[in-house]
């Protein structure tokens, strides 16, 4: 029914213990290195401040104003209170609850800073410590949480595959890999095929997330960092696609988190044109690893965790694919919508058709991450906002008609149109 409450699933939330509390979950062989890591926290915080990623005045106000709610980063009861207040029935849980001071960083920086050049033993130890805690955490309310296991995929393949199966058996539901492989084998390398096969076999989507970047190259220039930080997690997409990984592993699902989706239409247009023989690609050899154009792999296997989805991105949704856009709140990070999600949703989705809104706000994510919508339905009925709450018109025929031209043109390079049509007509 068009007036039923929305079943909202945030495809991008964060949780993690205060860093020092990870010790019981960490292999004792690495406790000495863990002490060294803890000792470097102040230095790392100073470096964040110097680069401009951390603002002292903002940090003080953020922690003061949100002290109780921020405990939901690791306290299960508080977390449910915050999710309920936001109208969010379920969530996908990435690491690092604190994106301001990094007080909840996973051991050895393997959370959102997970990178291919980390020490393989420390990287796996830190990842497993977080994964053990996260499995306990999400098990308290498994129908509402999909825990994302950290996976240092550039390490020894057998260990990586074993961790996939261990994480799955522990109750985790997805895998986060480094967005940067640095000096290790790129993701087009066939050495990763057993990893992709295990992810497909276990039904665990593979995701990259913004955070890691070659900060040593940026000096004190914050603008360079913010211009590139969402590019790195999207880069593995074309490595997997053009190398045939999606063709070889049709059950593999791959997503990009907290990097927006504004960049995808132009990329997809460009890749499709090359594959389909546009003039600029006529001199190239056939793309032998692919059996279909890039947009078909995208629709079959790729999704975007479009945190705090923007109006501009919604205007592009018929190029991106409505079912490829998974909204996220980014709780409890300050760049997300919490604790004002209701207002954000109203301002963003007020003129979007209800049927499409339901897909982007939750139903598409339920399919990707395996949530049981029947179990979530009573929660959504209790806490979910209605279309009226989002300012959406009861006359959905008129709303659908206002987007008809944009929907008809869609991916304009496939529908024989020269230009995209964005927005209502």
């Amino acid at each position: 029914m068009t007036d039923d409450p929305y079943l909202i699933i945030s495809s991008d939330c964060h949780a993690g213990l205060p860093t020092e509390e990870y010790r019981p979950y960490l292999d004792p062989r690495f406790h000495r290195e863990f002490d060294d890591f803890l000792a470097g926290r102040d230095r790392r915080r100073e470096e964040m401040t110097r680069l401009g990623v951390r603002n002292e005045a903002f940090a003080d106000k953020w922690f003061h104003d949100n002290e109780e709610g921020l405990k939901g980063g690791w306290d299960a009861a508080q977390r449910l209170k915050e999710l309920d207040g936001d109208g969010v029935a379920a969530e996908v849980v990435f690491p690092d609850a604190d994106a301001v001071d990094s007080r909840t960083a996973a051991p050895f920086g393997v959370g959102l800073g997970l990178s291919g050049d980390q020490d393989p033993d420390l990287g796996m130890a830190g990842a497993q410590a977080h994964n053990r805690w996260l499995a306990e955490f999400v098990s308290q309310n498994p129908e509402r949480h999909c825990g994302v296991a950290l996976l240092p995929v550039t390490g020894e393949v057998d260990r990586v595959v074993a961790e996939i199966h261990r994480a799955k058996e522990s109750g985790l539901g997805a895998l986060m890999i480094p967005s940067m492989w640095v000096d290790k084998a790129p993701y087009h390398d066939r050495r990763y095929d057993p990893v992709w096969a295990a992810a497909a076999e276990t039904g665990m989507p593979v995701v990259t997330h913004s955070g890691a970047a070659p900060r040593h190259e940026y000096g004190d220039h914050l603008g360079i960092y913010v211009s590139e930080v969402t590019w790195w997690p999207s880069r593995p997409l074309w490595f997997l696609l053009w190398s045939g990984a999606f063709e070889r592993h049709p059950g593999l699902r791959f997503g990009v988190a907290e990097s927006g989706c504004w960049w995808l239409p132009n990329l997809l247009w460009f890749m499709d044109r090359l594959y389909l023989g546009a003039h600029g690609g006529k001199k190239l050899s056939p793309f032998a690893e692919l059996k279909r154009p890039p947009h078909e792999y995208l629709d079959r296997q790729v999704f975007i965790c479009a945190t705090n989805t923007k109006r501009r991105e919604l205007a592009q949704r018929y190029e991106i694919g409505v079912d490829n856009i998974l909204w996220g709140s980014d709780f409890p990070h300050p760049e997300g919508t919490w604790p004002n999600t209701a207002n954000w949703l109203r301002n963003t989705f007020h003129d979007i058709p209800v049927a499409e809104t339901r897909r982007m706000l939750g139903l598409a994510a339920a399919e990707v991450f395996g949530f049981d919508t029947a179990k979530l339905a009573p929660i959504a009925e209790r806490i979910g906002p209605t279309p009226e709450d989002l300012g959406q018109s009861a006359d959905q025929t008129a709303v659908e008609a206002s987007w008809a031209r944009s929907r008809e043109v869609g991916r304009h390079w496939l529908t024989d149109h020269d230009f995209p049509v964005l927005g209502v007509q």
Side-chain angles (χ1 to χ4, degrees):
M1 298 290 292
T2 57
D3 57 351
D4 287 344
Y6 281 108
L7 193 167
I8 297 181
I9 298 174
S10 171
S11 70
D12 178 39
C13 290
H14 298 267
L17 280 172
T19 304
E20 62 275 8
E21 295 183 24
Y22 275 109
R23 184 180 297 273
Y25 299 92
L26 182 66
D27 186 326
R29 292 178 299 163
F30 299 98
H31 281 181
R32 178 174 297 179
E33 290 86 351
F34 186 51
D35 289 337
D36 293 340
F37 176 73
L38 292 174
R41 284 186 293 185
D42 289 343
R43 174 185 54 78
R44 291 190 294 273
R45 190 173 297 121
E46 290 173 2
E47 178 67 13
M48 291 167 59
T49 303
R50 184 189 63 77
L51 180 59
V53 176
R54 179 181 181 275
N55 180 301
E56 188 80 39
F58 176 86
D60 290 344
K61 187 175 189 312
W62 174 252
F63 289 116
H64 176 271
D65 292 351
N66 300 285
E67 181 178 5
E68 179 182 8
L70 289 171
K71 294 176 183 176
W74 59 88
D75 181 281
Q78 185 66 43
R79 192 174 192 88
L80 291 186
K81 179 181 177 181
E82 302 304 325
L83 292 178
D84 286 0
D86 262 2
V88 175
E91 60 170 349
V92 179
V93 188
F94 287 91
D96 293 3
D98 177 11
V100 177
D101 272 358
S102 296
R103 299 176 184 179
T104 62
F108 312 122
V110 297
L112 297 182
L114 186 65
S115 179
D117 62 345
Q118 285 161 326
D119 179 279
D121 291 328
L122 292 182
M124 183 59 78
Q128 289 180 330
H130 176 77
N131 295 346
R132 292 182 188 110
W133 170 77
L134 184 61
E136 286 186 8
F137 185 74
V138 301
S139 70
Q140 298 176 65
N141 297 280
E143 72 281 359
R144 298 191 68 173
H145 311 299
C146 173
V148 181
L150 297 175
L151 192 69
V153 73
T154 58
E156 183 182 334
V157 170
D158 288 346
R159 293 181 68 192
V160 173
V161 170
E163 181 60 15
I164 292 174
H165 289 284
R166 194 202 65 78
K168 178 67 174 181
E169 292 168 3
S170 74
L172 301 182
L175 305 162
M176 180 182 138
I177 64 172
S179 56
M180 300 173 60
W181 45 82
V182 194
D183 57 348
K184 303 301 190 299
Y187 292 159
H188 62 64
D189 197 298
R190 288 293 189 97
R191 78 181 297 274
Y192 296 109
D193 271 357
V195 177
W196 313 141
E201 176 190 346
T202 56
M204 300 180 81
V206 174
V207 192
T208 54
H209 193 290
S210 60
R215 298 189 185 190
H216 63 280
E217 298 181 2
Y218 301 152
D220 296 333
H221 306 294
L222 176 63
I224 302 175
Y225 170 72
V226 297
S227 294
E228 289 197 347
V229 71
T230 60
W231 179 78
W232 291 102
S234 60
R235 190 172 184 238
L237 168 58
W238 48 90
F239 275 70
L240 293 171
L241 190 149
W242 288 116
S243 66
F246 293 143
E247 179 64 35
R248 296 192 303 277
H249 305 282
L252 174 66
R253 299 300 303 271
F254 175 77
V256 181
E258 201 170 338
S259 301
C261 54
W262 47 267
W263 47 270
L264 189 54
N266 285 343
L267 174 67
L268 192 58
W269 164 78
F270 181 74
M271 293 194 299
D272 264 356
R273 289 182 73 254
L274 290 178
Y275 181 86
L276 295 171
H279 179 72
K282 288 180 179 178
K283 67 180 182 181
L284 303 176
S285 299
F287 298 99
E289 293 88 353
L290 274 59
K291 299 294 189 292
R292 63 194 75 227
H295 76 268
E296 292 191 21
Y297 292 107
L298 183 92
D299 291 340
R300 187 178 77 178
Q301 294 175 253
V302 177
F303 57 93
I304 306 295
C305 299
T307 307
N308 194 5
T309 314
K310 308 300 188 293
R311 292 281 292 167
R312 177 182 176 88
E313 294 169 323
L314 290 182
Q316 298 170 300
R317 68 190 182 278
Y318 298 122
E319 293 181 277
I320 298 167
V322 170
D323 277 357
N324 300 330
I325 300 174
L326 314 184
W327 175 87
S329 71
D330 202 23
F331 170 75
H333 289 182
E335 59 268 33
T337 63
W338 175 82
N340 300 303
T341 294
N343 289 335
W344 278 100
L345 292 179
R346 184 181 181 92
N347 291 337
T348 306
F349 286 91
H350 59 87
D351 60 352
I352 306 299
V354 168
E356 295 177 5
T357 304
R358 292 195 188 281
R359 297 298 301 171
M360 292 184 283
L361 287 187
L363 296 182
E367 293 170 5
V368 169
F369 291 101
F371 287 100
D372 188 331
T373 56
K375 291 183 178 179
L376 293 176
I379 301 171
E381 184 68 28
R382 175 172 58 86
I383 67 171
T386 64
E388 183 179 4
D389 293 332
L390 268 57
Q392 294 174 317
S393 172
D395 183 3
Q396 283 297 293
T397 301
V399 175
E400 293 279 358
S402 71
W403 289 97
R405 179 61 177 162
S406 182
R407 184 168 53 249
E408 173 193 345
V409 173
R411 293 169 179 160
H412 65 90
W413 62 96
L414 301 176
T415 59
D416 199 27
H417 292 85
D418 290 333
F419 306 108
V421 175
L422 304 181
V424 296
Q425 301 296 305

